[in-house]
Amino acid sequence: MATAREKQDCALTAYQLAKDREHTLADERGQSDTDIPLVVETDDIEFRSAIDADVSAQVALSAALRAVDD
C-alpha cells in the first residue's frame, strides 16, 4: 500500500501535468497573462476539460496533503 508521501507525490505530479496542459492551451489561445482570468468559449470542450482536470487535481492534491499514514 502506498504511503501518504507516495500519494502526495502522485497527486502533485498529476496536478503539475494538469496545470501544464491548461497553460499550454491558454497560450495557444493567446491567454498567457496569468494576472487576467481565462476566457473560455462555451464550445471549447478541450479547454474546459483541461480546466476541469486542473480543478480535480487540485482537490486530490489537497486531500493527499492532509492525509497521514495509518
Side-chain angles (χ1 to χ4, degrees), residues 4 8 58-69:
Q8 291 167 358
Q58 286 179 30
V59 170
L61 178 58
S62 178
L65 290 173
R66 288 190 307 269
V68 294
D69 288 328

Side-chain angles (χ1 to χ4, degrees), residues 10-64:
C10 288
L12 179 59
T13 299
Y15 170 72
Q16 289 170 327
L17 290 172
K19 185 55 83 179
D20 288 346
R21 180 67 180 144
E22 180 183 323
H23 282 283
T24 298
L25 291 174
D27 287 343
E28 289 174 2
R29 287 153 176 81
Q31 298 186 47
S32 57
D33 188 348
T34 57
D35 292 331
I36 298 174
L38 295 174
V39 176
V40 183
E41 301 294 328
T42 55
D43 62 345
D44 193 342
I45 302 301
E46 182 181 30
F47 202 15
R48 286 188 178 279
S49 295
I51 292 168
D52 289 344
D54 174 39
V55 171
S56 294
Q58 286 179 30
V59 170
L61 178 58
S62 178

